[in-house]
Amino acid sequence: MKKILIVSIISIFFFAITSCSSVKSYQKVFINDPDMSLSLKKTEVYESNFQTYREAAAGANGGKTGGGCGCN
Amino acid sequence: MQLKHYILTSLIILLSLGAFAQEDDDNSLFNKIVGEVEIDILASYYKQDGEHSAVTGGVGSEELKDEVASITVNIPIDTLNIINFSVNYDTYTSASTDMVDWYIDSIETSASSHEERKYGHLSYTRVTRKQSSYGVSVAFSEEYDVESYSGSLNWTRNSKDDNKQISINLSGVYDNWDLIFPVEYRDETKYPTDSLLSVNTRLTASLGVNFAMILTPRLQSLISYSFVYQNGLLSCPFQRVFFYDSIVLPPTIPEGFKKHYIDQLPNQKFKHALSLRTNYYPFNFLILRTFARGYYDSFNVKAVTLNIETPFKITRFISVFPFYRFHYQTATQYFYAYQEAHIEAEFYTSDYDLSEFNSQKYGIGLSISPPLGILHINNFPLKQRVSAFKTFEIRYAKYKRSDGLNSFIVSAALSFVL
């Protein structure tokens, strides 16, 4: 798992730094589309909340603010 | 009923803002606000069922219904200062929470308990220079057995061409629990609280680093890393664990009832999560939104999560988006199924949320968001501002876990701009 994580990190950084071209403001018509937003959709927030309760994994995509143990 | 209450409250807020503006048309604070004030009203309904209730040691109904309503308001005071706040109300019924008082109510006929959670947040963001901003936020949450207080700081910086952005977030959450033990352990003369659990508070500190980049006119990505450290109560005080070997039972336990105790977990935990989100617009009618995350924590849980969503653009402003999510996790080293734990073990839990399983989530959503709004209202209820019902979004998701837990959730969002 650690090796996979390290390889992933190196690959992502290499991918990122090779992006040398600059996209101008007038070229961002598609980037500015609401469906292209890099954040969760508004209706996706509550799904993220119940997944935080029902799964052990969380993080790197937002989460709940305090609250109980989600006991069912 | 609660949803109607919240919609009525939001209308009262809007009308109150109008009354405030009318007091002094020239100099009111509201008329000084630059940019659009955005109000989001969100609601969702969640229902689940399963066969591994942690309250009864990993067996029993996990039936639960949850209804949530919230209002979020974003106010750009001027070009440099933004205030954002939200209020949220959550009400849920849970068949297994009622089993905390197992010996008082009948197992077959006990009604589901009903609980509430109220929470809200307030944040302030200031743009310091053209490419940089910082913010601070506070939040509060209250349930029947826990109160939570949190605060966070964040900092964001853009590159000169606005193609790259880095942000750092530091947050802390303090939880204070009212320890509610299973009914058979509530006699404090026989079972002092500190003999069952040593702490009733929890501190969570987290660090998040995000790096976003526009790669081409149709492709952008976000790399996120988060580290979380927790110290304090990490188990659930009313969750039971049943052992396969013997334990001295409290004398009040009926003869024949299986040997058990309550969840015991370490008081410290740390977590690492790394994710990559990539959005690509290959054709004018189709977008690909992908998400991948790797996770590891000190309870020895390892997890992988993959998600893909494909918005189809029916028109420029209407999109339908089906989605699919897959998640796999290993079990924590402290997990034991019903009657598998050993009494001599130091830590144990039968909470199936910490077991090994894979899950799948799939569903579909609809979004309508024309630039001038769905309803365009002039001068109502505020003079000198135009109101619009800007965005409508609705979403349905079905969730299935390999241990038998099933659920679905329906969510809706309405956005208004003033």
Side-chain angles (χ1 to χ4, degrees):
Chain A
M1 184 69 187
K2 278 187 181 176
K3 287 181 184 175
I4 295 171
L5 199 62
I6 292 168
V7 170
S8 303
I9 293 169
I10 294 171
S11 303
I12 289 165
F13 273 110
F14 177 73
F15 181 60
I17 63 175
T18 54
S19 166
C20 301
S21 63
S22 176
V23 177
K24 305 291 186 294
S25 298
Y26 59 85
Q27 294 176 305
K28 292 182 181 177
V29 172
F30 298 107
I31 294 292
N32 291 334
D33 189 296
D35 287 322
M36 282 287 285
S37 170
L38 289 169
S39 57
L40 292 179
K41 288 184 179 294
K42 290 172 186 172
T43 49
E44 204 174 348
V45 170
Y46 295 128
E47 289 175 28
S48 178
N49 284 351
F50 91 74
Q51 285 158 192
T52 301
Y53 283 116
R54 294 283 75 89
E55 297 170 351
N61 71 337
K64 65 186 179 76
T65 303
C69 53
C71 303
N72 54 279
Chain B
M1 185 67 178
Q2 299 296 346
L3 182 58
K4 286 182 184 175
H5 175 75
Y6 245 92
I7 291 173
L8 180 61
T9 304
S10 64
L11 289 173
I12 292 170
I13 291 171
L14 285 173
L15 291 171
S16 301
L17 289 171
F20 179 83
Q22 287 168 10
E23 285 178 10
D24 185 344
D25 289 343
D26 293 329
N27 297 316
S28 69
L29 172 64
F30 199 81
N31 285 327
K32 291 180 180 175
I33 293 173
V34 175
E36 293 181 332
V37 175
E38 187 168 340
I39 299 175
D40 296 329
I41 299 177
L42 288 85
S44 80
Y45 176 78
Y46 171 80
K47 184 178 179 184
Q48 73 170 42
D49 201 358
E51 302 168 348
H52 298 292
S53 167
V55 175
T56 44
V59 295
S61 172
E62 295 175 278
E63 185 179 353
L64 180 145
K65 298 176 189 174
D66 187 26
E67 299 166 359
V68 185
S70 73
I71 297 176
T72 303
V73 181
N74 192 67
I75 304 174
I77 302 295
D78 51 38
T79 55
L80 299 178
N81 301 282
I82 301 169
I83 290 177
N84 182 287
F85 67 89
S86 72
V87 289
N88 308 265
Y89 180 78
D90 194 336
T91 173
Y92 61 93
T93 57
S94 168
S96 60
T97 302
D98 192 61
M99 300 306 289
V100 177
D101 294 347
W102 199 340
Y103 300 109
I104 296 177
D105 299 316
S106 161
I107 294 173
E108 289 79 22
T109 62
S110 61
S112 297
S113 66
H114 175 96
E115 305 297 346
E116 300 175 341
R117 180 184 173 213
K118 309 175 193 69
Y119 51 108
H121 95 279
L122 173 66
S123 69
Y124 167 73
T125 303
R126 178 171 175 87
V127 179
T128 54
R129 291 181 294 178
K130 188 179 178 185
Q131 282 94 29
S132 184
S133 68
Y134 66 83
V136 60
S137 73
V138 293
F140 172 73
S141 166
E142 180 184 34
E143 285 182 73
Y144 71 98
D145 61 342
V146 61
E147 286 184 349
S148 303
Y149 307 86
S150 65
S152 69
L153 301 171
N154 62 81
W155 172 83
T156 301
R157 180 157 179 87
N158 295 348
S159 61
K160 285 186 180 176
D161 60 3
D162 276 341
N163 277 358
K164 296 183 178 64
Q165 181 188 81
I166 185 167
S167 63
I168 297 174
N169 179 273
L170 279 171
S171 68
V173 181
Y174 176 78
D175 299 311
N176 188 1
W177 297 73
D178 180 17
L179 296 177
I180 299 174
F181 298 111
V183 65
E184 62 271 26
Y185 289 106
R186 288 193 202 146
D187 185 345
E188 289 205 15
T189 59
K190 293 191 178 75
Y191 309 104
T193 300
D194 55 6
S195 70
L196 297 169
L197 287 172
S198 57
V199 293
N200 69 329
T201 61
R202 178 171 68 202
L203 180 64
T204 303
S206 63
L207 166 69
V209 181
N210 304 294
F211 182 64
M213 60 210 128
I214 297 174
L215 300 166
T216 73
R218 290 176 177 258
L219 176 66
Q220 60 178 354
S221 285
L222 171 69
I223 302 168
S224 297
Y225 168 74
S226 69
F227 172 75
V228 177
Y229 174 75
Q230 293 183 298
N231 189 304
L233 180 65
L234 296 176
S235 58
C236 209
F238 52 80
Q239 289 183 171
R240 298 178 173 94
V241 175
F242 288 80
F243 306 103
Y244 73 84
D245 49 0
S246 63
I247 181 176
V248 176
L249 286 177
T252 54
I253 302 299
E255 191 65 32
F257 191 70
K258 299 296 187 289
K259 281 72 171 166
H260 69 289
Y261 199 48
I262 62 174
D263 265 14
Q264 297 288 324
L265 289 173
N267 286 347
Q268 290 191 50
K269 185 177 185 180
F270 62 84
K271 315 176 189 180
H272 297 276
L274 178 68
S275 73
L276 173 66
R277 191 182 292 277
T278 301
N279 293 348
Y280 181 47
Y281 210 137
F283 310 110
N284 289 354
F285 61 87
L286 176 67
I287 293 172
L288 296 177
R289 292 167 54 96
T290 64
F291 174 80
R293 178 184 64 194
Y295 171 92
Y296 169 74
D297 69 28
S298 60
F299 282 11
N300 213 28
V301 173
K302 304 175 188 67
V304 172
T305 307
L306 303 169
N307 189 91
I308 183 167
E309 185 176 299
T310 56
F312 287 89
K313 308 291 280 185
I314 308 299
T315 71
R316 281 182 61 197
F317 317 118
I318 300 175
S319 63
V320 173
F321 47 94
F323 52 88
Y324 174 78
R325 177 183 183 272
F326 175 81
H327 173 85
Y328 169 76
Q329 66 179 50
T330 62
T332 173
Q333 60 208 31
Y334 311 120
F335 173 80
Y336 297 93
Y338 180 69
Q339 284 192 290
E340 289 188 0
H342 193 297
I343 185 55
E344 297 298 329
E346 185 179 8
F347 302 115
Y348 33 75
T349 180
S350 292
D351 186 347
Y352 270 72
D353 297 341
L354 301 177
S355 67
E356 179 180 1
F357 62 81
N358 63 73
S359 70
Q360 300 185 69
K361 184 184 77 174
Y362 51 89
I364 193 164
L366 168 70
S367 173
I368 303 172
S369 183
L372 295 180
I374 300 168
L375 290 176
H376 199 228
I377 306 166
N378 289 318
N379 297 325
F380 174 82
L382 306 157
K383 292 185 181 180
Q384 301 178 15
R385 296 191 71 87
V386 175
S387 311
F389 175 23
K390 190 168 182 185
T391 304
F392 171 73
E393 193 174 300
I394 189 165
R395 181 182 173 106
Y396 169 84
K398 176 80 176 164
Y399 179 84
K400 289 184 178 180
R401 228 164 63 173
S402 57
D403 69 331
L405 183 132
N406 286 283
S407 69
F408 75 87
I409 182 169
V410 180
S411 306
L414 309 174
S415 294
F416 301 86
V417 291
L418 307 175

